[in-house]
Amino acid sequence: MCIAAFLWQSHPLYSLILLHNRDELLNRPTRPASWWEDGEIAGGRDEVAGGTWLACSRKGRVSFVTNVLELHTLPEAKSRGNLPLLFLQSRKSPKEFAEEIRAEAYQYNGFNLVVADISSNTMVYISNRSEGDRIVIQEVPPGLHVLSNAELDSPWHKAQRLRLKFNEQLHKCDGGEIPVKEMIERLMRDTVKADESKLPHICSLDWELDLSPIFVQIQTSQFFNIRGSFGTRSTTVLTISATGNVKFYETYLDNDTWKEKTLSYRIEQWN
């Protein structure tokens, strides 16, 4: 289902600090973070549908997506993993892109999408499952934000825990460089589940309880036609410095072994 926490335009050293957990079937074919064939896009790839959950480009564009928790889904829906790719391959501004996909947003199951252009300091949030099932398009203001499986900054158990922990680590770093691996261990490996009273009560309580930690571990899942072990299978920390330097660090599960990958580059034509 995924969860992301990010600090946007609010740090002396970084334009963006993004932490992201991807939750998925552990046996779903996946390619870890790498440069894609065109050499312009960096990120992991879902080798079933061909999309991504988080990626960035040499031109300083970033996009990531999370699923919205919902009881009923569309069996013939378009893959949500295509949405970040469409933005990264587009030349439109984040707001223009959001307006462009508005008309077809209902062809996807519930999604939360964030698109950003670092060079223009613009970030936009898009969702097709807000209250009343209306399409939400809003510019993301500077600050600390958390996106789980409801609207941006919804006060869900896991989102509140991650916000608190992220804030604590930022204060500890006191405006200095962030320790990437320490941040992952302290923030993104949290397995504390919510109390039943804190669950959203949208689906099965057992399923919601299993999904309620920041780091998800479900040994056998038989909800919503899901079969097999399901959980957090990769964690990414993406940092973009105020001088245009990008570092994409991913730790991912490969045959029961955690491995790591780092991609570094400078945004093209950075001023």
Side-chain angles (χ1 to χ4, degrees):
M1 300 295 285
C2 303
I3 186 170
F6 55 99
L7 186 69
W8 171 241
Q9 298 292 336
S10 300
H11 193 283
L13 299 182
Y14 302 98
S15 297
L16 175 66
I17 304 172
L18 167 64
L19 297 90
H20 185 286
N21 271 359
R22 181 198 183 206
D23 304 329
E24 183 54 88
L25 283 168
L26 302 189
N27 62 0
R28 187 176 176 99
T30 298
R31 186 184 304 178
S34 63
W35 287 103
W36 289 37
E37 289 82 351
D38 61 2
E40 292 294 321
I41 294 174
R45 175 179 287 182
D46 171 20
E47 295 195 307
V48 175
T52 187
W53 52 98
L54 163 63
C56 51
S57 76
R58 291 192 184 275
K59 292 181 173 59
R61 294 162 78 84
V62 177
S63 185
F64 56 95
V65 66
T66 71
N67 295 352
V68 172
L69 183 64
E70 51 190 349
L71 182 58
H72 302 292
T73 58
L74 304 172
E76 302 301 323
K78 292 183 176 180
S79 171
R80 290 167 285 202
N82 286 332
L83 291 167
L85 288 184
L86 289 173
F87 173 70
L88 295 176
Q89 294 166 346
S90 169
R91 294 186 178 182
K92 295 183 180 294
S93 70
K95 190 65 179 291
E96 290 171 337
F97 175 81
E99 293 294 344
E100 182 180 72
I101 68 168
R102 180 195 289 270
E104 62 181 51
Y106 290 117
Q107 297 178 32
Y108 298 86
N109 286 317
F111 70 79
N112 295 306
L113 178 68
V114 173
V115 294
D117 178 64
I118 306 302
S119 299
S120 63
N121 297 326
T122 307
M123 177 181 282
V124 170
Y125 164 70
I126 310 147
S127 179
N128 67 344
R129 292 292 192 277
S130 66
E131 187 175 348
D133 277 345
R134 61 190 177 90
I135 306 298
V136 167
I137 297 175
Q138 66 183 58
E139 187 161 347
V140 180
L144 174 59
H145 302 277
V146 182
L147 183 62
S148 58
N149 310 116
E151 288 188 64
L152 181 65
D153 293 321
S154 291
W156 282 19
H157 163 83
K158 64 199 302 182
Q160 290 181 313
R161 284 185 66 85
L162 185 51
R163 177 186 292 276
L164 178 63
K165 287 171 171 286
F166 199 175
N167 243 330
E168 289 174 349
Q169 287 300 304
L170 289 171
H171 284 299
K172 182 179 177 181
C173 294
D174 194 25
E177 291 188 8
I178 65 164
V180 170
K181 295 183 180 182
E182 180 181 336
M183 293 279 273
I184 289 175
E185 290 302 319
R186 291 182 177 273
L187 277 65
M188 309 306 286
R189 295 291 185 259
D190 185 345
T191 58
V192 175
K193 294 183 179 181
D195 292 330
E196 186 175 316
S197 63
K198 300 295 185 181
L199 297 175
H201 300 282
I202 296 170
C203 305
S204 156
L205 288 182
D206 288 341
W207 178 236
E208 289 188 1
L209 188 63
D210 284 339
L211 291 175
S212 65
I214 294 169
F215 188 88
V216 176
Q217 297 172 299
I218 306 175
Q219 294 304 317
T220 56
S221 177
Q222 295 184 355
F223 302 99
F224 302 102
N225 296 318
I226 293 174
R227 297 291 185 273
S229 296
F230 180 96
T232 303
R233 55 176 298 172
S234 69
T235 300
T236 302
V237 179
L238 174 67
T239 60
I240 302 180
S241 74
T243 55
N245 293 311
V246 180
K247 182 176 181 181
F248 191 118
Y249 174 83
E250 180 185 75
T251 177
Y252 60 96
L253 196 59
D254 182 17
N255 293 324
D256 298 325
T257 300
W258 284 94
K259 299 181 179 179
E260 59 183 18
K261 185 77 173 287
T262 302
L263 304 173
S264 300
Y265 65 99
R266 182 175 174 79
I267 295 174
E268 292 178 352
Q269 301 178 341
W270 183 264
N271 294 327

